[in-house]
Amino acid sequence: MFVPNASAVSLDRMVRAVEKVRERLLKAVRAMEEAEIPYAIVGGNAVAAWVSTIDEAAVRNTRDVDMMIRRPDLERARLAFDSAGFTYRHVAGIDLFLDHPDANPRDAVQLVFSGETVREGEPAPNPSLDEAVSTGEMSLLSLEALVRINLTAYRDKDRTHLRDLIEVGLVDRSWLDRLPNELAKRLKSILDDPFG
């Protein structure tokens, strides 16, 4: 097993990693805005945006950019991202736009499609882009739709996103009556045992 030397640790590299994600987000948003393609930021950046409205210190960094578009807009999005300098790849069923041809797939914008399920057997499809809201800087999935998409995917990182929203008070038990039964059960499980 490789164990890095402590001298390889660099605060500058840590800061740069966060900045690269921010730059990628801004570049992707600009590409979609200029091409007038409807989109919404989802995933960790959307959670961070909502959390920041309550407590900037509670914002968690994320390693990539997740963006929702409509499936029929994929070709237009490919052209827009290509014009912005991204490189398209379809890897393991996922549509990615890499920072450059040799980039690590972590250095990417990952697309999800509105109204579609990501994995077979999920209890609900992705929300509609009609549930996106404008921040003035970007289009962001509404808080309610973001909660549903995280409860639907329900991977470890999705549960972490939900815990972040709960921690700052954006999500609480009052949400249980607003959700479909299966999603309400999942949220109740996290509310009952936030560290489980």
Side-chain angles (χ1 to χ4, degrees):
M1 178 173 97
F2 171 73
V3 178
N5 185 313
S7 65
V9 173
S10 163
L11 182 58
D12 287 339
R13 290 182 70 190
M14 293 166 51
V15 169
R16 181 70 187 130
V18 174
E19 275 301 307
K20 282 174 64 177
V21 175
R22 180 181 175 277
E23 290 166 5
R24 186 176 309 119
L25 171 65
L26 294 173
K27 185 175 162 184
V29 164
R30 191 168 40 254
M32 297 301 274
E33 296 278 350
E34 289 175 359
E36 299 181 356
I37 300 170
Y39 73 93
I41 298 300
V42 297
N45 282 296
V47 172
W50 284 111
V51 167
S52 74
T53 66
I54 304 297
D55 184 357
E56 288 180 346
V59 170
R60 186 184 305 269
N61 293 322
T62 186
R63 68 182 190 191
D64 61 5
V65 175
D66 298 304
M67 182 178 277
M68 179 182 291
I69 67 169
R70 295 181 181 110
R71 172 78 64 184
D73 290 331
L74 177 58
E75 286 309 310
R76 287 180 56 219
R78 283 182 68 172
L79 292 172
F81 278 108
D82 184 58
S83 294
F86 287 98
T87 301
Y88 174 76
R89 294 282 185 272
H90 185 81
V91 179
I94 299 170
D95 293 284
L96 302 172
F97 292 93
L98 305 173
D99 285 346
H100 54 81
D102 299 321
N104 184 315
R106 289 183 184 166
D107 295 331
V109 176
Q110 179 176 319
L111 294 185
V112 295
F113 297 98
S114 66
E116 295 185 9
T117 54
V118 176
R119 292 185 312 269
E120 190 174 326
E122 287 185 336
N126 285 331
S128 164
L129 282 180
D130 293 340
E131 294 186 78
V133 296
S134 174
T135 68
E137 295 177 311
M138 65 182 159
S139 179
L140 182 69
L141 199 59
S142 72
L143 180 58
E144 188 162 327
L146 184 63
V147 168
R148 288 196 323 269
I149 201 171
N150 279 282
L151 287 167
T152 297
Y154 211 60
R155 299 161 299 182
D156 186 52
K157 70 179 179 178
D158 301 299
R159 292 189 299 274
T160 298
H161 291 329
L162 290 160
R163 288 183 191 103
D164 289 349
L165 296 168
I166 291 166
E167 180 184 339
V168 298
L170 286 167
V171 175
D172 57 26
R173 291 192 181 280
S174 69
W175 283 68
L176 296 174
D177 293 333
R178 296 163 37 182
L179 295 166
N181 190 41
E182 180 60 31
L183 301 185
K185 281 193 234 178
R186 291 177 176 187
L187 179 58
K188 184 178 184 308
S189 174
I190 295 171
L191 289 165
D192 288 348
D193 186 11
F195 304 106

